[in-house]
Amino acid sequence: MIRASERAMGIEYAIRDVVLPARELEKKGIKVIRLNIGDPGKFDFQPPEHMRDAYCKAIQDGHNYYGPSEGIPELREAIVERERKKNGVDIAPDDVRVTAAVTEALQFIFGALLNPGDNILVPSPSYPPYVGLVRFYGGIANEYLTVEENGWQPDIDDMRKKINDRTKAIAVINPNNPTGALYEKKTIKEMLDLAGEYDLPVISDEIYDLMTYDGKHVSPGSLTKDVPVIVMNGMSKVYFATGWRLGYFYYVDPENRLAEVKEAIDKMARIRLCPNTPAQFAAVAGLTGPMDYLDEYMAKLRERRDYIYKRLNEIPGISTTKPQGAFYIFPRIEERSKWKSDKDFVLDALHEAHVLFVHGSGFGYAGEWHFRAVFLPPVEILEEAMNNFEAFMRKRLSG
Ligand code: PLP
């Protein structure tokens, strides 16, 4: 047998791993309600018309060539303007890099920062590629706690305890996947102070920045004085274009402390040639065009959030915090005696209730005995899912 690399074989991605048993059920003709993947395009959400038109036009107009590795100038300008308006950051197009979505930005940043044995502070629970990609690049995902009782805010004391001499950066995901937490300004400030104390850059994932319900997102990029911040964002969530694979990141680095890292990132960017060219023209339309579609979409998401939050809290053995951003809810399994683990629970719910969740431990150790559900589907579908799930829980808890 020809052996694969340990690096690649070690990769796990809980969100897609649970799909295999769901497919087995579907092959037998059983309908499964999938609440596992955070893809708005699978439900009643599409990128706005002006973006779709711009994508088609770019192709028709012949923008089908390789573009610059760092992204087309029109888009980098549009990103500067968007981020200046949203975060008040004083950046120039030269601080911006366009990528095949945030996922590629993570590859560049981790690839450029990590030598084997180095670590990056990542939230626990966190979006799984943070752990997977840090490991892929030879690093250690050094998980800091976020605290459920405190609305899943990061525990700054725990962060401090986890920093060591091989720590290369602090990563923050806000609004958070999987918890739906929106971090307080005070927390962001404390995190920046900590980063400054240990001379660490902050990596800020802001892919859900305009998807908030009750508060507003605060970026570390808008608050930093001298701590280097790398802000990542893209077209997948707020612009509903997951399949286009387009995103960006930029440096807020007044003292140019990231000079060498930037050079390393540019080397990585060059060997992958360039991001998708026509999609970049569509992104310009998205960033400079009207945003009224977002109000309509957020109203739908709010209704779905309120519905699932209420239903889940009425189910015996389950309790949950209320998401303040994104489209995920992360309930706690209070009654644990019937299952060996949260994964066992999720598989049992799949086989009995035909609802697919993702086990919380797939998001890191602080996610144990939780599960993640997306609330993207319309209320009728959520209602069916919750009815099935409630019946399942009542049966299990009485058995
Ligand atoms: N970051 C977070 C926190 C996410 O939840 C996701 C997708 O679910 C991504 C990044 C992936 O984004 P992209 O589609 O831009 O690669």
Side-chain angles (χ1 to χ4, degrees):
M1 184 170 65
I2 297 171
R3 303 306 304 260
S5 71
E6 286 168 23
R7 188 194 315 117
M9 291 304 286
I11 294 175
E12 278 177 35
Y13 191 44
I15 299 167
R16 288 183 181 238
D17 288 350
V18 289
V19 171
L20 297 176
R23 270 200 206 135
E24 290 302 314
L25 286 181
E26 285 165 346
K27 263 193 231 154
K28 291 182 199 151
I30 294 167
K31 185 180 106 183
V32 172
I33 303 179
R34 292 185 178 210
L35 301 183
N36 62 314
I37 287 194
D39 189 348
K42 297 269 170 63
F43 302 97
D44 50 343
F45 301 94
Q46 286 293 319
E49 202 177 346
H50 57 274
M51 286 178 69
R52 286 182 275 146
D53 287 346
Y55 203 152
C56 296
K57 185 170 183 307
I59 291 173
Q60 294 300 356
D61 286 354
H63 295 297
N64 301 304
Y65 42 78
Y66 290 134
S69 295
E70 62 278 12
I72 60 170
E74 298 90 322
L75 179 55
R76 293 164 83 206
E77 286 281 357
I79 292 165
V80 165
E81 209 30 44
R82 192 258 188 206
E83 295 297 323
R84 199 183 51 73
K85 276 199 208 122
K86 159 68 182 64
N87 289 330
V89 286
D90 179 21
I91 52 167
D94 198 36
D95 298 313
V96 177
R97 300 289 179 274
V98 180
T99 56
V102 168
T103 306
E104 191 183 52
L106 288 172
Q107 291 168 24
F108 287 176
I109 296 164
F110 294 156
L113 280 173
L114 291 166
N115 280 315
D118 288 343
N119 68 79
I120 298 217
L121 286 189
V122 301
S124 188
S126 94
Y127 177 55
Y130 278 77
V131 174
L133 286 171
V134 167
R135 283 192 194 146
F136 188 82
Y137 285 103
I140 297 161
N142 188 354
E143 293 179 73
Y144 61 84
L145 271 179
T146 62
V147 184
E148 184 169 23
E149 295 70 26
N150 191 17
W152 293 108
Q153 299 287 313
D155 179 337
I156 304 292
D157 292 333
D158 190 59
M159 230 182 228
R160 177 184 294 280
K161 276 188 223 144
K162 300 279 165 69
I163 293 174
N164 60 39
D165 57 4
R166 300 296 302 271
T167 303
K168 297 300 295 280
I170 301 175
V172 55
I173 303 171
N174 178 34
N176 188 267
N177 175 7
T179 62
L182 180 65
Y183 296 168
E184 290 161 14
K185 188 171 179 182
K186 176 174 146 280
T187 314
I188 303 282
K189 274 193 174 152
E190 286 171 3
M191 199 184 53
L192 278 171
D193 287 346
L194 184 68
E197 214 179 297
Y198 288 90
D199 214 4
L200 297 170
V202 170
I203 303 166
S204 180
D205 184 333
E206 307 188 358
I207 189 87
Y208 301 101
D209 65 349
L210 299 182
M211 284 188 152
T212 58
Y213 300 99
D214 305 312
K216 273 208 154 77
H217 167 258
V218 177
S219 169
S222 69
L223 299 178
T224 187
K225 290 196 181 67
D226 51 359
V227 173
V229 178
I230 307 179
V231 175
M232 300 178 296
N233 210 327
M235 310 319 289
S236 288
K237 309 292 173 169
V238 168
Y239 302 89
F240 297 90
T242 47
W244 293 5
R245 311 309 300 129
L246 201 77
Y248 59 87
F249 64 94
Y250 60 92
Y251 308 103
V252 186
D253 181 24
E255 296 177 358
N256 203 21
R257 309 241 299 274
L258 290 172
E260 189 175 293
V261 175
K262 291 175 191 170
E263 192 187 328
I265 285 177
D266 285 344
K267 285 173 187 277
M268 290 185 75
R270 288 196 290 269
I271 55 162
R272 69 69 158 106
L273 308 195
C274 68
N276 177 326
T277 306
Q280 292 184 70
F281 287 89
V284 172
L287 297 183
T288 57
M291 294 297 290
D292 39 343
Y293 71 90
L294 188 61
D295 296 337
E296 185 200 316
Y297 282 178
M298 286 310 290
K300 286 206 267 195
L301 286 175
R302 178 187 294 275
E303 186 197 8
R304 295 169 194 188
R305 172 198 71 155
D306 291 349
Y307 179 78
I308 200 168
Y309 169 73
K310 179 166 175 294
R311 286 296 307 268
L312 282 166
N313 270 331
E314 286 165 1
I315 295 175
I318 299 295
S319 74
T320 184
T321 54
K322 194 174 199 173
Q324 302 300 318
F327 37 63
Y328 310 98
I329 192 159
F330 201 61
R332 167 201 276 276
I333 307 160
E334 301 279 6
E335 172 52 61
R336 301 176 181 180
S337 61
K338 313 284 174 189
W339 300 276
K340 289 196 290 286
S341 64
D342 53 356
K343 187 162 187 189
D344 188 30
F345 171 90
V346 162
L347 291 175
D348 195 16
L350 169 67
H351 288 108
E352 280 284 315
H354 304 152
V355 182
L356 183 59
F357 302 125
V358 184
H359 46 292
S361 54
F363 299 88
Y365 77 96
E368 273 175 25
W369 288 108
H370 292 74
F371 61 95
R372 190 191 76 170
V374 303
F375 51 83
L376 287 164
V379 168
E380 310 83 77
I381 297 179
L382 293 178
E383 185 177 12
E384 190 186 343
M386 289 300 105
N387 289 348
N388 295 354
F389 180 56
E390 179 161 4
F392 158 79
M393 286 300 287
R394 290 194 185 280
K395 185 169 149 203
R396 280 288 178 271
L397 297 195
S398 66

